[in-house]
Amino acid sequence: MEKDNREVLLDVKRLEVTFNNSRKNKGFRAVKNANFQIYKGETFGLVGESGSGKTTIGRSIMRLNPISDGEIWFEGKRIDGKISKEEKKNVVRNIQMIFQDPAASLNERATIDYCVSEGLYNFHLYENEEDRERKVDEALESVGLLPEHKSRYPHEFSGGQRQRVGIARAMIMEPKFIIADEPISALDVSIRAQVLNLMNKFKEERGLTYMFIAHDLSVVRYFADRIAVIHNGRIVEVAPTEVLFKYPLHPYTLSLLQAVPMPDPQIEKAKELVVYDESKRDLSGEKPILQEIRPGHQVFANDREMKEYEEKLSQMEKEAEKE
Amino acid sequence: MLKKKINEPIELSAEPETEIDMNDASLFEFQRADDAASEHIAAPKYSYWGSVFRRFFSNKIAVLMLIISVTMVLFAFIQPSISHYDHMVAPNINNSKMHFLKPFTNGYIFGTDNRGNSLFDSLWSGTKNSLIVALSATFFSEFIGIVIGMFWGFSKKMDAIMIEIYNVLSNIPTTLIAMILVYAMGGGFKQLIFALCVTSWIGTAYFIRVQVMIIRDREYNLASQCLGTPLWKIIVNNILPYLVSVIITSVSRDVPMFISYEVALSYMGIGLSEKFASLGKLIQQYSPYMLTEPYLFWIPVVASAVISVSLYLVGQALADASDPRTHMI
């Protein structure tokens, strides 16, 4: 859409991540030729089933997984591979991560005070001890925790509180970009909204950019501005949220959208599930690539499939106009 | 159906003079959930070491063993400085009346030996020397083992080299290496401690490496990496606290092991030099009298067994207590 006047914050080009288990075979390619841009101030959703490579992409951006090919650019600077200490510091300060399991991602043997101020200690982001305490208090307060919690250990908290500690720990670094790796999957349904609202609050207050990794489409629909669907390490479709839900093109996106349970037993019972099976698809023609079918709407296809999608899309658009 | 059931008791109770109108809004008031209050944690504050000691002192056998081992250690370190026992001096060696006195005669608590020396004095002096050897060997082999094991668990490059060194060193019997080294360097405290540590640290390092590999890739370590925490800080703050219990287990195994190594080496005549008494030396020296004067042989054997077992049991109880999984009841 108004793509050109928006500033690209993160640019991932031809990203490829390979895990080598043995020297004999080539290794497992977890992410294959992934291309996407994340614009400043938006929430970019990354959806796919388990093992599709969502988390691997997030961790590669965080420099936790080495990449085997491609480039990752953040604010016009390349951040993958070997970079200087100064640049590493810059990456850590500006990109932070919220983890899936709040119980596993906090050090059980450290107090909340240490957990939250770990980043401050590493970069000495405080003037004196008083300043550090003030910052920790502010961070805890901003996520709705009390200063008295500082001397507590993570196991004393509930799941929602622990996840908020995780958010406070990331926010205290004052990052520009946050990778949220399924931040609410491990939480009780009753407190999911609390964490999402908190993340929305920070987005508005600080103009943050999120990359939201999830497998729950209903949450992504509520939270994300743009969605990329990933299947088997490949990004198969990228589109603004409403466009994707209205005009899903790739068969995998279609079956993924269908899998969302409807809160109506009658509809749910009558629903005919289409299971995506790549072996039954017509894969003839040249190798497919991610190409733009409408401005801002990209789909993974070759020229033959493009024509089919074009037909399908124009038909869907006509139907939408009638209504 | 359901509605009727709910209504029934109300109809019954509504019989008396005061009739309650359930639709009267004035009877109800709004209750708001207090967000701040629900954040409050009611449980008392948790303290790791506080819980460790509470747990340890609730174990009666462990406390008994602690008392025994502390008494023996204190005795071993204090008594020799009062008696001024010197293993090379035997004033009564030519006075055969003073040889082989039975325990509790003439004020000799454990009697006297073949040279007329008090067994009580030589026993504590020997215990002291044995403990010095065992404790320092434990300290050095654990310290080197832990430091190297921590980095070994993290670095793949180091792993490739270290695993080969481990394969070679762990296949050579420690006793053999210790024997050769003591022969080559001569008997003495430093030499014996060096001979005991020179290969045993790699066992500890390997043990720590495996433990580090188990917890290395847990998510909280990734989180620390995301926050830019350097490796040594991750080791000190994220890994080491989790290993307190396994380190204590390893230490409590090492101390008795080194005591018995010292006893075994001295028994073979290659431990400390002749100048010093030690538990192993006493046992070796008195073994010819095992049948004629059994107390001379058995008292040092029992002393060495009691100190090993009590230290081992204290260590095991402490290791159990330092595992936080035992803190929740």
PDB file of all heavy atoms in Angstrom, chain A residues 92 96 104 107-109 114 118 122 148-149 151-152 161 164 169, chain B residues 39-40 43 45-46 220 224 226-229 233 237-238 241-242 324:
ATOM      1  N   VAL A  92      21.714  -5.569  20.602  1.00  0.00           N
ATOM      2  CA  VAL A  92      21.105  -6.029  21.852  1.00  0.00           C
ATOM      3  C   VAL A  92      20.256  -4.929  22.476  1.00  0.00           C
ATOM      4  O   VAL A  92      19.160  -5.171  22.969  1.00  0.00           O
ATOM      5  CB  VAL A  92      22.200  -6.492  22.838  1.00  0.00           C
ATOM      6  CG1 VAL A  92      21.619  -6.735  24.208  1.00  0.00           C
ATOM      7  CG2 VAL A  92      22.850  -7.755  22.325  1.00  0.00           C
ATOM      8  N   GLN A  96      14.876  -6.606  21.372  1.00  0.00           N
ATOM      9  CA  GLN A  96      14.682  -7.426  22.554  1.00  0.00           C
ATOM     10  C   GLN A  96      13.664  -8.504  22.262  1.00  0.00           C
ATOM     11  O   GLN A  96      12.934  -8.442  21.280  1.00  0.00           O
ATOM     12  CB  GLN A  96      14.239  -6.566  23.736  1.00  0.00           C
ATOM     13  CG  GLN A  96      15.406  -5.929  24.462  1.00  0.00           C
ATOM     14  CD  GLN A  96      16.344  -6.952  25.048  1.00  0.00           C
ATOM     15  OE1 GLN A  96      15.939  -7.945  25.630  1.00  0.00           O
ATOM     16  NE2 GLN A  96      17.640  -6.726  24.861  1.00  0.00           N
ATOM     17  N   ALA A 104      10.290 -20.919  32.057  1.00  0.00           N
ATOM     18  CA  ALA A 104      11.605 -21.398  31.634  1.00  0.00           C
ATOM     19  C   ALA A 104      12.561 -20.259  31.320  1.00  0.00           C
ATOM     20  O   ALA A 104      13.765 -20.446  31.342  1.00  0.00           O
ATOM     21  CB  ALA A 104      11.457 -22.288  30.406  1.00  0.00           C
ATOM     22  N   ASN A 107      15.596 -16.904  35.298  1.00  0.00           N
ATOM     23  CA  ASN A 107      16.561 -17.629  36.115  1.00  0.00           C
ATOM     24  C   ASN A 107      15.971 -17.862  37.503  1.00  0.00           C
ATOM     25  O   ASN A 107      15.764 -16.930  38.266  1.00  0.00           O
ATOM     26  CB  ASN A 107      17.842 -16.800  36.205  1.00  0.00           C
ATOM     27  CG  ASN A 107      18.931 -17.518  36.945  1.00  0.00           C
ATOM     28  OD1 ASN A 107      18.730 -18.605  37.465  1.00  0.00           O
ATOM     29  ND2 ASN A 107      20.095 -16.906  36.977  1.00  0.00           N
ATOM     30  N   GLU A 108      15.700 -19.132  37.811  1.00  0.00           N
ATOM     31  CA  GLU A 108      15.020 -19.479  39.068  1.00  0.00           C
ATOM     32  C   GLU A 108      15.840 -19.116  40.304  1.00  0.00           C
ATOM     33  O   GLU A 108      15.311 -19.016  41.391  1.00  0.00           O
ATOM     34  CB  GLU A 108      14.724 -20.975  39.096  1.00  0.00           C
ATOM     35  CG  GLU A 108      13.626 -21.409  38.150  1.00  0.00           C
ATOM     36  CD  GLU A 108      12.241 -21.142  38.704  1.00  0.00           C
ATOM     37  OE1 GLU A 108      12.053 -21.309  39.908  1.00  0.00           O
ATOM     38  OE2 GLU A 108      11.360 -20.769  37.924  1.00  0.00           O
ATOM     39  N   ARG A 109      17.162 -18.993  40.145  1.00  0.00           N
ATOM     40  CA  ARG A 109      18.003 -18.751  41.315  1.00  0.00           C
ATOM     41  C   ARG A 109      18.362 -17.271  41.468  1.00  0.00           C
ATOM     42  O   ARG A 109      19.256 -16.937  42.219  1.00  0.00           O
ATOM     43  CB  ARG A 109      19.283 -19.561  41.234  1.00  0.00           C
ATOM     44  CG  ARG A 109      19.091 -21.024  41.056  1.00  0.00           C
ATOM     45  CD  ARG A 109      18.528 -21.642  42.313  1.00  0.00           C
ATOM     46  NE  ARG A 109      18.025 -22.982  42.037  1.00  0.00           N
ATOM     47  CZ  ARG A 109      18.767 -24.077  42.034  1.00  0.00           C
ATOM     48  NH1 ARG A 109      20.034 -23.996  42.303  1.00  0.00           N
ATOM     49  NH2 ARG A 109      18.241 -25.243  41.779  1.00  0.00           N
ATOM     50  N   TYR A 114      17.400  -8.813  40.134  1.00  0.00           N
ATOM     51  CA  TYR A 114      18.503  -9.139  39.214  1.00  0.00           C
ATOM     52  C   TYR A 114      17.974  -9.433  37.808  1.00  0.00           C
ATOM     53  O   TYR A 114      18.546  -8.966  36.817  1.00  0.00           O
ATOM     54  CB  TYR A 114      19.304 -10.335  39.736  1.00  0.00           C
ATOM     55  CG  TYR A 114      20.398 -10.724  38.774  1.00  0.00           C
ATOM     56  CD1 TYR A 114      21.570  -9.979  38.697  1.00  0.00           C
ATOM     57  CD2 TYR A 114      20.240 -11.792  37.893  1.00  0.00           C
ATOM     58  CE1 TYR A 114      22.555 -10.293  37.788  1.00  0.00           C
ATOM     59  CE2 TYR A 114      21.219 -12.114  36.982  1.00  0.00           C
ATOM     60  CZ  TYR A 114      22.372 -11.365  36.932  1.00  0.00           C
ATOM     61  OH  TYR A 114      23.335 -11.664  36.020  1.00  0.00           O
ATOM     62  N   GLU A 118      19.334  -7.135  34.753  1.00  0.00           N
ATOM     63  CA  GLU A 118      20.449  -7.827  34.088  1.00  0.00           C
ATOM     64  C   GLU A 118      20.992  -7.018  32.903  1.00  0.00           C
ATOM     65  O   GLU A 118      22.199  -6.820  32.768  1.00  0.00           O
ATOM     66  CB  GLU A 118      19.984  -9.207  33.623  1.00  0.00           C
ATOM     67  CG  GLU A 118      21.129 -10.098  33.195  1.00  0.00           C
ATOM     68  CD  GLU A 118      20.693 -11.537  32.965  1.00  0.00           C
ATOM     69  OE1 GLU A 118      19.597 -11.917  33.377  1.00  0.00           O
ATOM     70  OE2 GLU A 118      21.478 -12.266  32.338  1.00  0.00           O
ATOM     71  N   ASN A 122      24.686  -5.175  32.305  1.00  0.00           N
ATOM     72  CA  ASN A 122      25.564  -5.531  31.189  1.00  0.00           C
ATOM     73  C   ASN A 122      26.089  -4.311  30.444  1.00  0.00           C
ATOM     74  O   ASN A 122      27.209  -4.307  29.966  1.00  0.00           O
ATOM     75  CB  ASN A 122      24.834  -6.441  30.210  1.00  0.00           C
ATOM     76  CG  ASN A 122      24.575  -7.795  30.808  1.00  0.00           C
ATOM     77  OD1 ASN A 122      25.260  -8.197  31.731  1.00  0.00           O
ATOM     78  ND2 ASN A 122      23.586  -8.481  30.300  1.00  0.00           N
ATOM     79  N   GLU A 148       7.735  -4.201  45.936  1.00  0.00           N
ATOM     80  CA  GLU A 148       8.053  -5.211  46.965  1.00  0.00           C
ATOM     81  C   GLU A 148       8.383  -6.567  46.335  1.00  0.00           C
ATOM     82  O   GLU A 148       8.924  -7.447  46.994  1.00  0.00           O
ATOM     83  CB  GLU A 148       6.873  -5.360  47.930  1.00  0.00           C
ATOM     84  CG  GLU A 148       5.665  -5.991  47.270  1.00  0.00           C
ATOM     85  CD  GLU A 148       4.469  -6.162  48.203  1.00  0.00           C
ATOM     86  OE1 GLU A 148       4.173  -5.212  48.935  1.00  0.00           O
ATOM     87  OE2 GLU A 148       3.845  -7.234  48.166  1.00  0.00           O
ATOM     88  N   HIS A 149       8.060  -6.735  45.049  1.00  0.00           N
ATOM     89  CA  HIS A 149       8.356  -8.000  44.380  1.00  0.00           C
ATOM     90  C   HIS A 149       9.836  -8.194  44.067  1.00  0.00           C
ATOM     91  O   HIS A 149      10.254  -9.273  43.687  1.00  0.00           O
ATOM     92  CB  HIS A 149       7.567  -8.094  43.063  1.00  0.00           C
ATOM     93  CG  HIS A 149       6.111  -8.304  43.278  1.00  0.00           C
ATOM     94  ND1 HIS A 149       5.159  -7.863  42.390  1.00  0.00           N
ATOM     95  CD2 HIS A 149       5.437  -8.905  44.281  1.00  0.00           C
ATOM     96  CE1 HIS A 149       3.961  -8.179  42.842  1.00  0.00           C
ATOM     97  NE2 HIS A 149       4.098  -8.803  43.985  1.00  0.00           N
ATOM     98  N   SER A 151      12.536  -8.477  45.731  1.00  0.00           N
ATOM     99  CA  SER A 151      13.361  -9.441  46.461  1.00  0.00           C
ATOM    100  C   SER A 151      12.821 -10.858  46.345  1.00  0.00           C
ATOM    101  O   SER A 151      13.322 -11.766  46.984  1.00  0.00           O
ATOM    102  CB  SER A 151      13.445  -9.033  47.923  1.00  0.00           C
ATOM    103  OG  SER A 151      12.146  -8.958  48.447  1.00  0.00           O
ATOM    104  N   ARG A 152      11.775 -11.037  45.507  1.00  0.00           N
ATOM    105  CA  ARG A 152      11.175 -12.366  45.363  1.00  0.00           C
ATOM    106  C   ARG A 152      11.867 -13.172  44.268  1.00  0.00           C
ATOM    107  O   ARG A 152      12.536 -12.607  43.412  1.00  0.00           O
ATOM    108  CB  ARG A 152       9.694 -12.209  45.012  1.00  0.00           C
ATOM    109  CG  ARG A 152       8.883 -11.529  46.091  1.00  0.00           C
ATOM    110  CD  ARG A 152       8.638 -12.483  47.209  1.00  0.00           C
ATOM    111  NE  ARG A 152       7.692 -11.918  48.183  1.00  0.00           N
ATOM    112  CZ  ARG A 152       7.051 -12.690  49.057  1.00  0.00           C
ATOM    113  NH1 ARG A 152       7.230 -13.987  49.065  1.00  0.00           N
ATOM    114  NH2 ARG A 152       6.235 -12.144  49.936  1.00  0.00           N
ATOM    115  N   GLN A 161       2.195 -13.034  35.936  1.00  0.00           N
ATOM    116  CA  GLN A 161       3.159 -12.118  36.567  1.00  0.00           C
ATOM    117  C   GLN A 161       4.561 -12.367  36.036  1.00  0.00           C
ATOM    118  O   GLN A 161       5.305 -11.440  35.747  1.00  0.00           O
ATOM    119  CB  GLN A 161       3.140 -12.324  38.089  1.00  0.00           C
ATOM    120  CG  GLN A 161       1.944 -11.687  38.770  1.00  0.00           C
ATOM    121  CD  GLN A 161       1.920 -12.025  40.249  1.00  0.00           C
ATOM    122  OE1 GLN A 161       2.195 -13.146  40.658  1.00  0.00           O
ATOM    123  NE2 GLN A 161       1.570 -11.044  41.069  1.00  0.00           N
ATOM    124  N   ARG A 164       5.006 -10.886  32.752  1.00  0.00           N
ATOM    125  CA  ARG A 164       5.163  -9.435  32.850  1.00  0.00           C
ATOM    126  C   ARG A 164       6.570  -9.058  33.324  1.00  0.00           C
ATOM    127  O   ARG A 164       7.107  -8.033  32.922  1.00  0.00           O
ATOM    128  CB  ARG A 164       4.094  -8.844  33.774  1.00  0.00           C
ATOM    129  CG  ARG A 164       2.758  -8.707  33.033  1.00  0.00           C
ATOM    130  CD  ARG A 164       1.720  -8.075  33.884  1.00  0.00           C
ATOM    131  NE  ARG A 164       1.152  -9.030  34.818  1.00  0.00           N
ATOM    132  CZ  ARG A 164       0.714  -8.716  36.035  1.00  0.00           C
ATOM    133  NH1 ARG A 164       0.782  -7.483  36.459  1.00  0.00           N
ATOM    134  NH2 ARG A 164       0.207  -9.639  36.811  1.00  0.00           N
ATOM    135  N   ARG A 169      11.732  -6.821  31.778  1.00  0.00           N
ATOM    136  CA  ARG A 169      13.150  -7.034  31.532  1.00  0.00           C
ATOM    137  C   ARG A 169      13.537  -6.570  30.121  1.00  0.00           C
ATOM    138  O   ARG A 169      14.616  -6.015  29.912  1.00  0.00           O
ATOM    139  CB  ARG A 169      13.425  -8.524  31.707  1.00  0.00           C
ATOM    140  CG  ARG A 169      14.724  -8.988  31.153  1.00  0.00           C
ATOM    141  CD  ARG A 169      14.949 -10.423  31.496  1.00  0.00           C
ATOM    142  NE  ARG A 169      14.095 -11.316  30.722  1.00  0.00           N
ATOM    143  CZ  ARG A 169      14.147 -12.639  30.825  1.00  0.00           C
ATOM    144  NH1 ARG A 169      14.942 -13.200  31.676  1.00  0.00           N
ATOM    145  NH2 ARG A 169      13.378 -13.393  30.079  1.00  0.00           N
TER     146      ARG A 169
ATOM    147  N   GLU B  39      -2.042  -8.514  43.105  1.00  0.00           N
ATOM    148  CA  GLU B  39      -0.639  -8.711  42.753  1.00  0.00           C
ATOM    149  C   GLU B  39       0.192  -9.131  43.956  1.00  0.00           C
ATOM    150  O   GLU B  39       1.282  -9.649  43.827  1.00  0.00           O
ATOM    151  CB  GLU B  39      -0.034  -7.406  42.190  1.00  0.00           C
ATOM    152  CG  GLU B  39      -0.623  -6.948  40.880  1.00  0.00           C
ATOM    153  CD  GLU B  39      -0.311  -7.881  39.743  1.00  0.00           C
ATOM    154  OE1 GLU B  39       0.632  -8.664  39.869  1.00  0.00           O
ATOM    155  OE2 GLU B  39      -1.034  -7.840  38.747  1.00  0.00           O
ATOM    156  N   HIS B  40      -0.344  -8.845  45.130  1.00  0.00           N
ATOM    157  CA  HIS B  40       0.420  -9.073  46.352  1.00  0.00           C
ATOM    158  C   HIS B  40       0.673 -10.565  46.565  1.00  0.00           C
ATOM    159  O   HIS B  40      -0.199 -11.393  46.344  1.00  0.00           O
ATOM    160  CB  HIS B  40      -0.351  -8.490  47.530  1.00  0.00           C
ATOM    161  CG  HIS B  40       0.395  -8.554  48.805  1.00  0.00           C
ATOM    162  ND1 HIS B  40       1.460  -7.728  49.072  1.00  0.00           N
ATOM    163  CD2 HIS B  40       0.244  -9.358  49.878  1.00  0.00           C
ATOM    164  CE1 HIS B  40       1.937  -8.028  50.273  1.00  0.00           C
ATOM    165  NE2 HIS B  40       1.214  -9.009  50.777  1.00  0.00           N
ATOM    166  N   ALA B  43       2.749 -15.408  50.437  1.00  0.00           N
ATOM    167  CA  ALA B  43       3.708 -16.375  50.982  1.00  0.00           C
ATOM    168  C   ALA B  43       4.892 -15.654  51.614  1.00  0.00           C
ATOM    169  O   ALA B  43       5.293 -14.592  51.148  1.00  0.00           O
ATOM    170  CB  ALA B  43       4.195 -17.294  49.875  1.00  0.00           C
ATOM    171  N   LYS B  45       8.730 -14.702  52.529  1.00  0.00           N
ATOM    172  CA  LYS B  45       9.862 -14.578  51.600  1.00  0.00           C
ATOM    173  C   LYS B  45      10.710 -15.836  51.597  1.00  0.00           C
ATOM    174  O   LYS B  45      10.960 -16.434  52.629  1.00  0.00           O
ATOM    175  CB  LYS B  45      10.717 -13.377  51.994  1.00  0.00           C
ATOM    176  CG  LYS B  45      10.269 -12.155  51.239  1.00  0.00           C
ATOM    177  CD  LYS B  45      11.162 -10.989  51.494  1.00  0.00           C
ATOM    178  CE  LYS B  45      10.507  -9.757  50.887  1.00  0.00           C
ATOM    179  NZ  LYS B  45      11.130  -8.543  51.303  1.00  0.00           N
ATOM    180  N   TYR B  46      11.148 -16.189  50.409  1.00  0.00           N
ATOM    181  CA  TYR B  46      11.952 -17.401  50.267  1.00  0.00           C
ATOM    182  C   TYR B  46      13.419 -17.028  50.307  1.00  0.00           C
ATOM    183  O   TYR B  46      13.841 -16.065  49.681  1.00  0.00           O
ATOM    184  CB  TYR B  46      11.616 -18.065  48.939  1.00  0.00           C
ATOM    185  CG  TYR B  46      12.498 -19.223  48.575  1.00  0.00           C
ATOM    186  CD1 TYR B  46      12.297 -20.475  49.136  1.00  0.00           C
ATOM    187  CD2 TYR B  46      13.539 -19.065  47.666  1.00  0.00           C
ATOM    188  CE1 TYR B  46      13.096 -21.539  48.805  1.00  0.00           C
ATOM    189  CE2 TYR B  46      14.354 -20.130  47.329  1.00  0.00           C
ATOM    190  CZ  TYR B  46      14.121 -21.361  47.899  1.00  0.00           C
ATOM    191  OH  TYR B  46      14.922 -22.415  47.561  1.00  0.00           O
ATOM    192  N   TYR B 220      16.283 -19.657  29.765  1.00  0.00           N
ATOM    193  CA  TYR B 220      16.707 -18.477  30.526  1.00  0.00           C
ATOM    194  C   TYR B 220      18.134 -18.083  30.187  1.00  0.00           C
ATOM    195  O   TYR B 220      18.524 -16.930  30.351  1.00  0.00           O
ATOM    196  CB  TYR B 220      16.499 -18.684  32.029  1.00  0.00           C
ATOM    197  CG  TYR B 220      17.461 -19.630  32.698  1.00  0.00           C
ATOM    198  CD1 TYR B 220      18.619 -19.153  33.285  1.00  0.00           C
ATOM    199  CD2 TYR B 220      17.200 -20.974  32.748  1.00  0.00           C
ATOM    200  CE1 TYR B 220      19.499 -20.011  33.897  1.00  0.00           C
ATOM    201  CE2 TYR B 220      18.072 -21.843  33.353  1.00  0.00           C
ATOM    202  CZ  TYR B 220      19.211 -21.363  33.926  1.00  0.00           C
ATOM    203  OH  TYR B 220      20.093 -22.205  34.533  1.00  0.00           O
ATOM    204  N   SER B 224      19.319 -14.485  28.745  1.00  0.00           N
ATOM    205  CA  SER B 224      20.477 -13.716  29.208  1.00  0.00           C
ATOM    206  C   SER B 224      21.342 -13.294  28.030  1.00  0.00           C
ATOM    207  O   SER B 224      21.851 -12.178  27.999  1.00  0.00           O
ATOM    208  CB  SER B 224      21.316 -14.552  30.174  1.00  0.00           C
ATOM    209  OG  SER B 224      20.689 -14.619  31.414  1.00  0.00           O
ATOM    210  N   CYS B 226      20.270 -12.712  25.055  1.00  0.00           N
ATOM    211  CA  CYS B 226      19.542 -11.626  24.391  1.00  0.00           C
ATOM    212  C   CYS B 226      19.778 -10.300  25.094  1.00  0.00           C
ATOM    213  O   CYS B 226      19.681  -9.247  24.485  1.00  0.00           O
ATOM    214  CB  CYS B 226      18.050 -11.901  24.399  1.00  0.00           C
ATOM    215  SG  CYS B 226      17.587 -13.210  23.308  1.00  0.00           S
ATOM    216  N   LEU B 227      20.021 -10.364  26.417  1.00  0.00           N
ATOM    217  CA  LEU B 227      20.255  -9.133  27.163  1.00  0.00           C
ATOM    218  C   LEU B 227      21.727  -8.745  27.126  1.00  0.00           C
ATOM    219  O   LEU B 227      22.144  -7.809  27.798  1.00  0.00           O
ATOM    220  CB  LEU B 227      19.793  -9.304  28.609  1.00  0.00           C
ATOM    221  CG  LEU B 227      18.286  -9.401  28.795  1.00  0.00           C
ATOM    222  CD1 LEU B 227      17.948  -9.971  30.144  1.00  0.00           C
ATOM    223  CD2 LEU B 227      17.631  -8.043  28.642  1.00  0.00           C
ATOM    224  N   GLY B 228      22.529  -9.501  26.369  1.00  0.00           N
ATOM    225  CA  GLY B 228      23.938  -9.144  26.196  1.00  0.00           C
ATOM    226  C   GLY B 228      24.836  -9.557  27.337  1.00  0.00           C
ATOM    227  O   GLY B 228      25.889  -8.967  27.531  1.00  0.00           O
ATOM    228  N   THR B 229      24.426 -10.567  28.108  1.00  0.00           N
ATOM    229  CA  THR B 229      25.258 -10.999  29.230  1.00  0.00           C
ATOM    230  C   THR B 229      26.457 -11.793  28.720  1.00  0.00           C
ATOM    231  O   THR B 229      26.282 -12.734  27.963  1.00  0.00           O
ATOM    232  CB  THR B 229      24.425 -11.876  30.176  1.00  0.00           C
ATOM    233  OG1 THR B 229      23.205 -11.209  30.455  1.00  0.00           O
ATOM    234  CG2 THR B 229      25.152 -12.147  31.467  1.00  0.00           C
ATOM    235  N   LYS B 233      29.594 -14.226  32.987  1.00  0.00           N
ATOM    236  CA  LYS B 233      28.503 -13.829  33.877  1.00  0.00           C
ATOM    237  C   LYS B 233      27.383 -14.859  33.836  1.00  0.00           C
ATOM    238  O   LYS B 233      26.728 -15.129  34.845  1.00  0.00           O
ATOM    239  CB  LYS B 233      27.951 -12.471  33.444  1.00  0.00           C
ATOM    240  CG  LYS B 233      28.391 -11.333  34.320  1.00  0.00           C
ATOM    241  CD  LYS B 233      27.592 -10.113  33.949  1.00  0.00           C
ATOM    242  CE  LYS B 233      27.994  -8.911  34.752  1.00  0.00           C
ATOM    243  NZ  LYS B 233      27.274  -7.712  34.272  1.00  0.00           N
ATOM    244  N   ASN B 237      26.210 -16.536  37.199  1.00  0.00           N
ATOM    245  CA  ASN B 237      24.871 -16.246  37.703  1.00  0.00           C
ATOM    246  C   ASN B 237      23.810 -17.252  37.281  1.00  0.00           C
ATOM    247  O   ASN B 237      22.805 -17.414  37.973  1.00  0.00           O
ATOM    248  CB  ASN B 237      24.424 -14.852  37.233  1.00  0.00           C
ATOM    249  CG  ASN B 237      25.207 -13.761  37.902  1.00  0.00           C
ATOM    250  OD1 ASN B 237      25.509 -13.856  39.082  1.00  0.00           O
ATOM    251  ND2 ASN B 237      25.564 -12.741  37.148  1.00  0.00           N
ATOM    252  N   ASN B 238      23.969 -17.876  36.126  1.00  0.00           N
ATOM    253  CA  ASN B 238      22.913 -18.760  35.643  1.00  0.00           C
ATOM    254  C   ASN B 238      23.225 -20.236  35.811  1.00  0.00           C
ATOM    255  O   ASN B 238      22.313 -21.039  35.962  1.00  0.00           O
ATOM    256  CB  ASN B 238      22.645 -18.516  34.151  1.00  0.00           C
ATOM    257  CG  ASN B 238      22.083 -17.152  33.877  1.00  0.00           C
ATOM    258  OD1 ASN B 238      22.076 -16.293  34.747  1.00  0.00           O
ATOM    259  ND2 ASN B 238      21.600 -16.952  32.678  1.00  0.00           N
ATOM    260  N   PRO B 241      24.753 -21.407  40.270  1.00  0.00           N
ATOM    261  CA  PRO B 241      23.770 -21.629  41.335  1.00  0.00           C
ATOM    262  C   PRO B 241      22.973 -22.919  41.154  1.00  0.00           C
ATOM    263  O   PRO B 241      22.531 -23.509  42.128  1.00  0.00           O
ATOM    264  CB  PRO B 241      22.854 -20.411  41.226  1.00  0.00           C
ATOM    265  CG  PRO B 241      23.654 -19.383  40.542  1.00  0.00           C
ATOM    266  CD  PRO B 241      24.545 -20.119  39.602  1.00  0.00           C
ATOM    267  N   TYR B 242      22.805 -23.354  39.903  1.00  0.00           N
ATOM    268  CA  TYR B 242      22.059 -24.586  39.679  1.00  0.00           C
ATOM    269  C   TYR B 242      22.901 -25.812  40.015  1.00  0.00           C
ATOM    270  O   TYR B 242      22.373 -26.907  40.151  1.00  0.00           O
ATOM    271  CB  TYR B 242      21.614 -24.689  38.213  1.00  0.00           C
ATOM    272  CG  TYR B 242      20.387 -23.881  37.909  1.00  0.00           C
ATOM    273  CD1 TYR B 242      20.451 -22.510  37.774  1.00  0.00           C
ATOM    274  CD2 TYR B 242      19.148 -24.492  37.766  1.00  0.00           C
ATOM    275  CE1 TYR B 242      19.331 -21.764  37.507  1.00  0.00           C
ATOM    276  CE2 TYR B 242      18.016 -23.767  37.498  1.00  0.00           C
ATOM    277  CZ  TYR B 242      18.110 -22.401  37.373  1.00  0.00           C
ATOM    278  OH  TYR B 242      16.997 -21.660  37.104  1.00  0.00           O
ATOM    279  N   PRO B 324      16.833 -27.379  45.587  1.00  0.00           N
ATOM    280  CA  PRO B 324      15.612 -26.650  45.942  1.00  0.00           C
ATOM    281  C   PRO B 324      14.328 -27.468  45.779  1.00  0.00           C
ATOM    282  O   PRO B 324      13.295 -27.107  46.313  1.00  0.00           O
ATOM    283  CB  PRO B 324      15.613 -25.445  45.001  1.00  0.00           C
ATOM    284  CG  PRO B 324      16.614 -25.739  43.970  1.00  0.00           C
ATOM    285  CD  PRO B 324      17.563 -26.754  44.498  1.00  0.00           C
TER     286      PRO B 324
END
